[in-house]
Amino acid sequence: MTELFGIPMPVLSGQILLGLFNGAFYALLSLGLAVIFGLLRVINFAHGALYMMGAFIAFLLGQWLGLPFWALLVVAPVLVGVFAVAMEKLLLRHVYGLDPLYGLLLTFGVALVIEGMAQYMFGVAGKPFSQPQALSGVSMIGGMILPHYRVFVIVVALITCLGTWALIERTRLGAFLRAATENRPLVEAFGVNVPVLLTATYAFGALLAGFAGVMGAPVFQVSAFMGSNLIIIVFAVVVIGGMGSIGGAIASGFLLGLCEGLTKVVYPEAANIVVFAIMAVVLFFRPSGLFGKAA
Amino acid sequence: MGLKTYLASAAFAAGSLAAPALAQDDQVKLLVLDDMTGTYSGNGGPNTLLAVQMAVEDFGGEVLGQPIEVLSADHQGKPDIGSSLAQRFIDEQQIDVMTLGGSSAVGLAAQGRAAEAGIVTLVNGGYAPNFSGDQCAPFGSQWAPTTRELARGVAGAVVNEGGESWYMLTADYVFGHGLSADAAAAVEEAGGKVLGETVHPLNTTDLASALLSAQGSGADVIGLANAGPDLETAIKQARDYGLSDKLVAMLVFTNNVQSLGLEATQGIRMAASSYWDMNDTTREWGTRFMERNGGDVPTMGHIAAYASVTHYLKAVAAAGTDDAEAVNAKMKELPIDSGFFENAKMLDNGRVVYDMLLVEVNSPDESTGPADLYEIVARIPGEELFLTAEESGCPLTAKTN
């Protein structure tokens, strides 16, 4: 059997697939963060809580209404988006234009409230969440195990990420958004309703988080702290990609998932610091991140 | 008389005046000190309080002609809070006995306070060997099995059934390493071999890569030396890779199985001290318990809480006093025959020894209802698993030669 680093190829390719799978979540979450930061200049610390919310809404709708997974994949993120609209209208808009620190503290506070409420309502134990029947199988390709659901997540995340990138970088709506961040008064002068644009942007970022939450529910623990376990790494991913860079967030999400996955094979104990080590190195040589523009 | 002697005798006088009010007023006051909202509130917590209340009700609500009072407090899994709560209830409420659950670090701190004050402790949800080992208390008893019995119970049995080569998934902290070492020792003692180990950080979201490494090693069995959320993650993700039937868990509670669902947990084997569907007594009680809490299956901690409080109250009635020393002696003398543990007896170091169960999680098809979680596969005699009082390292019962 062919080997690399003393590890049989099928095992190694299995680990690479896993790295990409985790990378898919990093990419989806850091993409939402990058969109929100890029356009609103808000560091959204509530992102992990919104991710958790997506998973819990899916869990509850599945329990109460018996909705199938496919429906949940649409309905739950939309509900998270609706919550985000309310949050933006009531709270977040008051900190625009202030030091980014205020937005960070506000969203961090909201995250603590959401997580505390989830813990109060659902306790600390995880909730059961099954994979959709159609995707629960496993294929073997050349000795490599290919769980269908994980491949599905990677593909869907990739499509979503590329779609978002195209929406912002290649469409007229995206052009308005980018213009509004560059020079808001000028865009308003052209008759564009910028506040609505900002609300929609925040809701869209939250929707992406909720979407990741639903996709993560069958694999990760559905619990009050599922987001806070992930969000720190995601912030590191955003910083490595370059704050506010859409393409950078996507690329670094998948890349870091891969690096982390390979570390788990070679030296598992280092797996949860490798992302931060890379972050330190990147910041040392390129303070604005791999894909960021120098400020 | 020098000032020092004067102060000492004054303190002594104050102490001896306070003591009778503290321990021997013949009204039993019981404190349930547990993790009510935190990480381990599922296997102990509010349901432990319910089990204790049921024990008191089933005993008739009174002993020595006076009503039994049940108090409860949430130590939040923090040793400093647990320790000061224990002290406060000892000083202000003159409690006679406390049941301890949740993190072992908190339980040990509280048992220390209780030992100083001469209070009886019933450890139902503390799985560290220290409770009846190096930190044993004169009036303490440990009803929960320790990591040692849990690991050895399942590891030995699995090796004997042909699962000879093992790969360990270990949580990177004291508890995980202890569990892993106990299991490895038991595997090797039974003639098996540990091929490798992956150490993972606490509260990790991804255990699939560790599971893949385990699979790559070609081991027959993947031993899970972790607990709570990490254990649930490992079980959930093992299913994706078709590895569920290779898993052996060291510390699983019925609430973990309920939260994961039988679909994900079927086939997993583990050791347990008791199970609600074990005999007629446990079934009768378990059914009432689930009627009152909305269907939460009792964990071995909840069963131990009921059994230990019942045994304590019996001992108080038999001794005719709530004096800790007399009651403790009676607890060791009286047979533990309530039906919740098999062949149970209490050793001099406070260790309660009983036959352990080897159980296997039912498949959804085998299960006859939401509470039908396990099938009992085998029973392991207590003497084969538990340490004797002399071996336990308890200073009160150590050999003096």
Side-chain angles (χ1 to χ4, degrees):
Chain A
M1 211 189 292
T2 41
E3 291 193 1
L4 199 65
F5 310 126
I7 300 150
M9 269 317 279
V11 175
L12 190 66
S13 46
Q15 298 281 12
I16 288 173
L17 183 86
L18 259 178
L20 285 175
F21 173 79
N22 288 328
F25 285 93
Y26 297 161
L28 275 178
L29 289 171
S30 59
L31 175 64
L33 278 179
V35 169
I36 291 170
F37 181 78
L39 301 170
L40 276 64
R41 297 286 144 186
V42 167
I43 300 169
N44 186 30
F45 247 85
H47 219 64
L50 295 169
Y51 163 80
M52 178 266 289
M53 217 172 166
F56 266 105
I57 290 176
F59 164 74
L60 289 177
L61 290 179
Q63 294 274 305
W64 291 340
L65 307 177
L67 290 183
F69 183 74
W70 314 108
L72 296 176
L73 213 46
V74 177
V75 178
V78 168
L79 290 179
V80 175
V82 170
F83 173 82
V85 169
M87 185 178 151
E88 199 271 349
K89 290 249 181 233
L90 291 173
L91 299 170
L92 211 53
R93 67 168 59 240
H94 301 291
V95 299
Y96 293 156
L98 296 177
D99 190 307
L101 201 59
Y102 287 91
L104 188 153
L105 288 174
L106 175 68
T107 51
F108 185 58
V110 171
L112 290 181
V113 172
I114 298 174
E115 281 176 356
M117 275 166 59
Q119 192 195 355
Y120 178 74
M121 286 192 286
F122 302 104
V124 285
K127 294 287 166 203
F129 198 102
S130 304
Q131 288 180 5
Q133 277 298 319
L135 292 173
S136 59
V138 175
S139 297
M140 294 284 278
I141 296 176
M144 172 185 161
I145 306 173
L146 220 58
H148 295 167
Y149 182 74
R150 291 185 180 242
V151 177
F152 163 79
V153 168
I154 295 173
V155 173
V156 170
L158 210 54
I159 294 171
T160 311
C161 288
L162 293 178
T164 306
W165 177 82
L167 179 75
I168 291 172
E169 303 285 340
R170 291 284 179 272
T171 67
R172 199 171 161 74
L173 178 69
F176 279 140
L177 282 171
R178 280 177 290 132
T181 59
E182 293 288 329
N183 193 332
R184 181 172 165 166
L186 195 66
V187 176
E188 277 182 328
F190 281 115
V192 176
N193 190 342
V194 173
V196 167
L197 214 55
L198 294 182
T199 308
T201 305
Y202 189 72
F204 180 71
L207 190 138
L208 283 177
F211 185 65
V214 183
M215 290 216 293
V219 179
F220 301 125
Q221 262 248 323
V222 181
S223 74
F225 299 106
M226 65 187 287
S228 51
N229 293 338
L230 205 58
I231 199 67
I232 303 296
I233 296 180
V234 173
F235 270 106
V237 170
V238 174
V239 171
I240 293 168
M243 290 296 285
S245 160
I246 310 285
I250 301 169
S252 57
F254 280 101
L255 272 175
L256 286 164
L258 214 52
C259 287
E260 202 190 43
L262 290 176
T263 315
K264 278 178 184 156
V265 188
V266 182
Y267 186 63
E269 283 86 343
N272 59 335
I273 59 154
V274 67
V275 171
F276 303 103
I278 294 174
M279 179 175 85
V281 173
V282 167
L283 285 181
F284 186 76
F285 291 105
R286 286 184 64 97
S288 52
L290 287 179
F291 301 89
K293 283 170 257 163
Chain B
M1 194 156 62
L3 182 64
K4 240 184 199 166
T5 2
Y6 172 75
L7 283 176
S9 53
F12 177 73
S16 51
L17 279 176
L22 207 101
Q24 243 185 310
D25 53 4
D26 283 352
Q27 195 211 345
V28 169
K29 268 195 182 183
L30 191 152
L31 171 68
V32 177
L33 186 59
D34 214 302
D35 185 346
M36 294 293 176
T37 51
T39 317
Y40 295 120
S41 53
N43 55 281
N47 277 331
T48 293
L49 178 61
L50 171 63
V52 170
Q53 280 162 343
M54 286 177 72
V56 169
E57 286 163 22
D58 293 352
F59 198 78
E62 57 172 49
V63 68
L64 306 178
Q66 293 199 60
I68 303 158
E69 197 175 332
V70 178
L71 306 162
S72 76
D74 180 8
H75 62 51
Q76 302 166 34
K78 294 173 181 144
D80 52 334
I81 294 181
S83 177
S84 60
L85 275 175
Q87 194 64 56
R88 209 174 83 203
F89 277 88
I90 291 168
D91 294 341
E92 293 174 11
Q93 297 283 342
Q94 288 90 42
I95 53 166
D96 301 285
V97 51
M98 60 173 100
T99 76
L100 297 171
S103 158
S104 288
V106 188
L108 286 166
Q111 177 163 285
R113 296 278 82 76
E116 288 163 13
I119 301 287
V120 176
T121 45
L122 309 169
V123 181
N124 307 306
Y127 298 85
N130 315 61
F131 283 102
S132 51
D134 58 356
Q135 297 184 47
C136 64
F139 310 127
S141 55
Q142 186 178 21
W143 296 70
T146 75
T147 49
R148 186 174 186 277
E149 289 83 49
L150 290 164
R152 294 173 73 91
V154 68
V158 169
V159 172
N160 290 335
E161 284 169 25
E164 286 178 3
S165 58
W166 283 55
Y167 192 96
M168 305 298 299
L169 256 58
T170 306
D172 197 5
Y173 68 118
V174 183
F175 162 80
H177 288 292
L179 208 50
S180 169
D182 282 336
V187 166
E188 272 151 28
E189 212 168 277
K193 223 173 97 182
V194 178
L195 301 179
E197 178 179 37
T198 296
V199 176
H200 67 78
L202 188 62
N203 277 334
T204 183
T205 53
D206 173 39
L207 281 169
S209 53
L211 287 163
L212 273 187
S213 303
Q215 191 186 32
S217 75
D220 304 324
V221 175
I222 302 172
L224 302 177
N226 48 20
D230 286 329
L231 176 93
E232 292 186 10
T233 301
I235 292 174
K236 202 166 179 176
Q237 298 186 345
R239 213 178 138 253
D240 288 1
Y241 289 90
L243 294 172
S244 297
D245 53 349
K246 285 192 170 190
L247 294 185
V248 168
M250 308 297 159
L251 184 54
V252 193
F253 297 103
T254 49
N255 65 304
N256 299 126
V257 174
Q258 264 193 313
S259 108
L260 285 161
L262 295 180
E263 189 66 41
T265 50
Q266 54 183 304
I268 295 173
R269 283 163 290 177
M270 68 198 98
S273 58
S274 187
Y275 177 55
W276 77 273
D277 200 6
M278 183 170 80
N279 58 41
D280 289 339
T281 313
T282 54
R283 264 188 291 277
E284 186 273 328
W285 176 77
T287 311
R288 280 194 290 133
F289 180 81
M290 287 183 272
E291 273 166 16
R292 286 179 62 168
N293 68 16
D296 292 346
V297 176
T299 65
M300 51 183 161
H302 302 144
I303 297 174
Y306 182 88
S308 65
V309 169
T310 305
H311 189 67
Y312 169 81
L313 293 174
K314 270 188 198 169
V316 171
T321 168
D322 63 1
D323 172 61
E325 195 163 356
V327 174
N328 191 54
K330 272 287 174 218
M331 283 177 77
K332 285 172 184 158
E333 186 189 316
L334 290 174
I336 304 173
D337 54 4
S338 54
F340 290 89
F341 295 106
E342 294 179 345
N343 302 319
K345 60 174 185 288
M346 193 189 291
L347 306 181
D348 282 340
N349 59 336
R351 177 68 251 174
V352 180
V353 171
Y354 36 74
D355 295 354
M356 293 279 286
L357 309 174
L358 182 68
V359 298
E360 185 174 315
V361 179
N362 285 329
S363 72
D365 294 336
E366 289 162 351
S367 172
T368 55
D372 186 18
L373 304 176
Y374 299 161
E375 187 195 342
I376 298 172
V377 182
R379 289 171 159 79
I380 311 151
E383 300 84 59
E384 288 179 19
L385 288 175
F386 289 93
L387 293 172
T388 63
E390 290 78 31
E391 291 165 336
S392 68
C394 170
L396 302 171
T397 57
K399 276 185 199 155
T400 45
N401 52 352

